[in-house]
Amino acid sequence: MKRGQASFSSVLNRRLAVIAVMVLFALIGIESRFIYLQIFARPALTALANSQLETNSIPIKAKRGMILDANGKILAQDVATWSAGLYMPEVRDVAWTAQTIASVLGVARKDLEVRIRDASLSFIYVQKQVSLEEYESLLSLDIPGMVLDKTYRRIYPSGALVSSVVGVTGTDNQGLSGLEFQYDSLLKGTDGKRAFRVSGSSPGAPAVMEEVSEAIAGKNILLTLDVNVQFFAQQALAETLSAYEGERATCIILNPKTGAVLAMVDAPGVDPEHWREAPDSMLTEKAVSYNYEPGSVFKAVTSAAGLDSNTITATDTFHSSGSLKVFDTVVHDLYAYGTMDLYHMLQYSSNVGFAQLGMKIGASRFFACIQQYGFGKKTGIDLPGEESGIVPPLAQWSKTTLPTMSFGQGVAVTAIQMANFYATIANGGVQRRPYVVDRIEDASGTSQRTDVPGIVGQVVGAETARIVLEGLHGVVKENEGVFSAYIPGYQVAGKTGTAQIAAPGGGYVQDGSYIYSFAGILTANDPRAVVFLSIHETHKGERTSFMVAGPTFKKIALQLIQYLRLEP
């Protein structure tokens, strides 16, 4: 072999070796890069890829919890319905989509097309409640982007019977009044969602990934209200309003031993499924939110204050000649009753006697007592919109405030305050916090919370409560006192009240309108129920609580005696 040929072969081999080494290093580099991308850089690359996708979601509505009465009767519940919506990334032909949907739902095509074109969200509702027929028609049309999903509609099987307490919900099933509003956060549950990831560079492309978070149903609320007792009260109020052409009426029935509300009625009521047709004022629970002068039902408060402050005993006497001049005001009685002890003052409902008693107690002691009994502050009942009543501070009292307040003028109360005071007297002077929610349960029936009735305290002396209860029993007797509320064989205790209506700017309405009240205790020997009712602004017939409120109470009481099986 020639030397030149050997040299060329040697150079070629060296070059091939170099090339082989370079290829080997290149392959090692590519493999290393592949391993790096597949293992070490995977999280970062996945995040980068996801950032180039749009995440959209469609809500899954939660079923709202039920509201039930003390016997388990459903007062409010959700029923299944369907909603129609559009998932915008999959909508291809806006005009055709609008026309097709509009023809099924009976909505304006042009308006719907504008809504679709102007949509700024990835999902829009076309209609939140569609019928079964509409649902099936839309489902059969296979419209790109069409989302047909289950949603809920609120119904109220008892209608207006408990509407002011239970309340109403809005178009999005959110609580607007009553317990629906007060406990909205518990009732509404937690919505779920369907999350979609689609390519941001390919509009109209189907979703490439779906994640589902299921909805969690709301909790159920069980009340102390009994719809049977509620019905007794509602019917009696409705009959009285019809007979006397009254504007409205309120009734509260309490268990004095627990503070549980057995019934709370506003009449006339509102159909909760058509509440938009009623004035907004009818959606509030007047029993807790309406301040008014109580009139003579407040005389039981003055009686307790006189005894608790050691100003009088039950046998101390006052005299009525039919009228009493107090500074520049003349206080009148219906008759000249002569000499009266506390029992007879209650029985005769003597304004003159109680004006004298109030002045004997004195402003400071009287003010302290009525505050102690719970007037001028909220009871704490678990309903929205409760008012505190109005007890003017002592610095604002005129010379005649004390004597007139002693028989129920110049002070404003709510019906729940008056009912709770009489419940306190029936409970031996121990005051409890009134309540309407007994317990809260989840969808499985597991109790989440029990509302333990709160004891406010011994706000009225036990002996005072006994004497006042005895005096109230003396008011309701056969052929004596308020015998229109008398029930043979049963020891009924109670007190009427006829109150003028305060006029805006001061003074009283002079059109002959009054508020007629009755506070009754069933029974004086074993208090099981306190009934407080008020009839507002009648325009026909009798104008006394004896004739208007007393018989209304008796109608309710007769049914309560039978239903609660009260002993004589």
Side-chain angles (χ1 to χ4, degrees):
M1 181 182 294
K2 294 182 179 179
R3 182 176 179 178
Q5 290 176 326
S7 296
F8 174 76
S9 177
S10 176
V11 171
L12 179 60
N13 288 336
R14 286 197 299 269
R15 288 180 178 178
L16 289 174
V18 170
I19 292 171
V21 170
M22 291 178 63
V23 170
L24 179 62
F25 275 108
L27 290 173
I28 292 173
I30 291 171
E31 185 65 24
S32 298
R33 181 64 176 171
F34 179 76
I35 293 171
Y36 170 77
L37 292 174
Q38 285 291 315
I39 299 175
F40 298 103
R42 182 181 180 84
L45 292 174
T46 300
L48 179 62
N50 285 339
S51 70
Q52 296 175 9
L53 298 175
E54 293 181 357
T55 302
N56 301 313
S57 64
I58 296 174
I60 302 173
K61 288 295 183 181
K63 186 176 184 179
R64 193 172 178 85
M66 295 186 293
I67 300 176
L68 305 97
D69 88 329
N71 302 312
K73 182 177 177 60
I74 296 172
L75 306 178
Q77 70 175 143
D78 274 8
V79 293
T81 182
W82 292 269
S83 64
L86 283 172
Y87 182 52
M88 300 309 296
E90 294 184 1
V91 175
R92 297 169 186 167
D93 187 332
V94 173
W96 178 86
T97 300
Q99 174 62 45
T100 305
I101 295 174
S103 65
V104 175
L105 298 181
V107 298
R109 179 194 59 79
K110 289 184 179 180
D111 293 342
L112 180 56
E113 186 173 339
V114 169
R115 283 180 55 204
I116 296 172
R117 291 190 186 280
D118 293 347
S120 59
L121 301 175
S122 61
F123 176 80
I124 64 169
Y125 279 109
V126 175
Q127 191 161 297
K128 290 190 176 180
Q129 291 183 4
V130 299
S131 68
L132 177 60
E133 293 77 12
E134 292 168 336
Y135 166 81
E136 291 175 343
S137 295
L138 291 171
L139 188 64
S140 67
L141 292 172
D142 194 23
I143 304 168
M146 185 89 251
V147 177
L148 295 166
D149 213 346
K150 181 161 66 170
T151 184
Y152 298 97
R153 178 174 64 88
R154 199 68 162 167
I155 64 168
Y156 300 88
S158 294
L161 182 61
V162 291
S163 60
S164 59
V165 176
V166 170
V168 299
T169 53
T171 54
D172 289 326
N173 226 13
Q174 78 279 24
L176 298 179
S177 67
L179 293 169
E180 294 276 28
F181 173 80
Q182 184 82 351
Y183 290 92
D184 186 61
S185 61
L186 296 175
L187 286 164
K188 69 182 181 181
T190 304
D191 288 346
K193 66 178 180 178
R194 291 191 180 93
F196 295 91
R197 292 188 181 278
V198 297
S199 172
S201 61
S202 303
V208 297
M209 183 171 60
E210 179 182 7
E211 297 174 349
V212 178
S213 299
E214 296 294 343
I216 301 173
K219 294 179 172 58
N220 299 325
I221 294 181
L222 289 82
L223 308 184
T224 60
L225 264 66
D226 185 322
V227 292
N228 297 306
V229 179
Q230 189 89 358
F231 180 75
F232 302 155
Q234 186 204 51
Q235 286 297 100
L237 294 186
E239 290 170 6
T240 299
L241 289 178
S242 176
Y244 295 100
E245 295 183 359
E247 292 294 326
R248 66 177 189 83
T250 295
C251 180
I252 302 170
I253 302 177
L254 291 177
N255 180 335
K257 296 177 181 178
T258 64
V261 179
L262 305 181
M264 184 176 284
V265 179
D266 270 344
V270 175
D271 182 347
E273 293 186 51
H274 300 90
W275 60 266
R276 293 172 184 81
E277 300 168 13
D280 290 345
S281 60
M282 291 188 70
L283 298 179
T284 58
E285 177 52 79
K286 303 296 190 304
V288 303
S289 65
Y290 181 73
N291 294 320
Y292 70 101
E293 290 192 359
S296 293
V297 289
F298 203 72
K299 289 170 180 172
V301 178
T302 306
S303 300
L307 294 165
D308 269 344
S309 64
N310 296 316
T311 302
I312 60 165
T313 66
T315 57
D316 288 345
T317 60
F318 296 87
H319 185 83
S320 171
S321 59
S323 65
L324 175 69
K325 186 172 183 180
V326 182
F327 301 104
D328 57 346
T329 298
V330 178
V331 177
H332 294 280
D333 273 343
L334 189 59
Y335 302 106
Y337 296 117
T339 300
M340 307 166 292
D341 61 13
L342 181 62
Y343 293 135
H344 285 93
M345 284 166 55
L346 282 168
Q347 184 178 337
Y348 300 148
S349 196
S350 171
N351 290 341
V352 170
F354 278 98
Q356 294 176 78
L357 173 55
M359 289 187 290
K360 188 171 183 179
I361 297 170
S364 296
R365 286 190 296 185
F366 189 61
F367 180 74
C369 283
I370 60 180
Q371 282 196 312
Q372 179 176 314
Y373 301 157
F375 297 99
K377 57 187 176 183
K378 299 176 181 180
T379 66
I381 190 170
D382 45 354
L383 284 170
E386 184 182 10
E387 290 288 336
S388 302
I390 303 171
V391 179
L394 279 171
Q396 295 179 10
W397 287 25
S398 69
K399 293 180 179 180
T400 58
T401 297
L402 177 57
T404 57
M405 190 180 290
S406 301
F407 55 82
Q409 287 187 355
V411 59
V413 302
T414 61
I416 189 61
Q417 286 176 332
M418 288 307 312
N420 206 38
F421 173 76
Y422 277 81
T424 300
I425 295 299
N427 196 38
V430 177
Q431 189 168 95
R432 290 185 173 272
R433 178 180 61 80
Y435 66 106
V436 297
V437 174
D438 180 56
R439 63 188 186 276
I440 296 171
E441 297 179 348
D442 63 20
S444 68
T446 303
S447 181
Q448 301 291 301
R449 178 178 72 84
T450 298
D451 193 335
V452 179
I455 298 178
V456 177
Q458 184 85 43
V459 302
V460 177
E463 179 63 9
T464 293
R466 185 193 68 78
I467 293 171
V468 173
L469 182 58
E470 186 177 341
L472 294 171
H473 177 219
V475 171
V476 186
K477 288 187 175 181
E478 186 176 13
N479 299 322
E480 290 186 61
V482 189
F483 56 83
S484 61
Y486 172 72
I487 299 174
Y490 289 86
Q491 297 184 31
V492 177
K495 184 73 188 76
T496 55
T498 302
Q500 292 177 282
I501 300 172
Y508 296 94
V509 173
Q510 298 299 320
D511 63 356
S513 296
Y514 292 91
I515 298 173
Y516 306 107
S517 301
F518 190 90
I521 298 172
L522 292 172
T523 57
N525 55 319
D526 181 22
R528 294 272 305 281
V530 168
V531 179
F532 183 84
L533 62 89
S534 58
I535 315 295
H536 295 247
E537 301 178 63
T538 60
H539 301 288
K540 177 184 176 182
E542 298 289 342
R543 295 298 177 93
T544 66
S545 290
F546 176 89
M547 293 300 297
V548 179
T552 306
F553 162 79
K554 186 173 181 177
K555 290 178 182 178
I556 298 169
L558 286 170
Q559 297 191 77
L560 278 176
I561 286 171
Q562 183 176 4
Y563 185 71
L564 299 178
R565 299 180 181 178
L566 302 184
E567 297 293 332

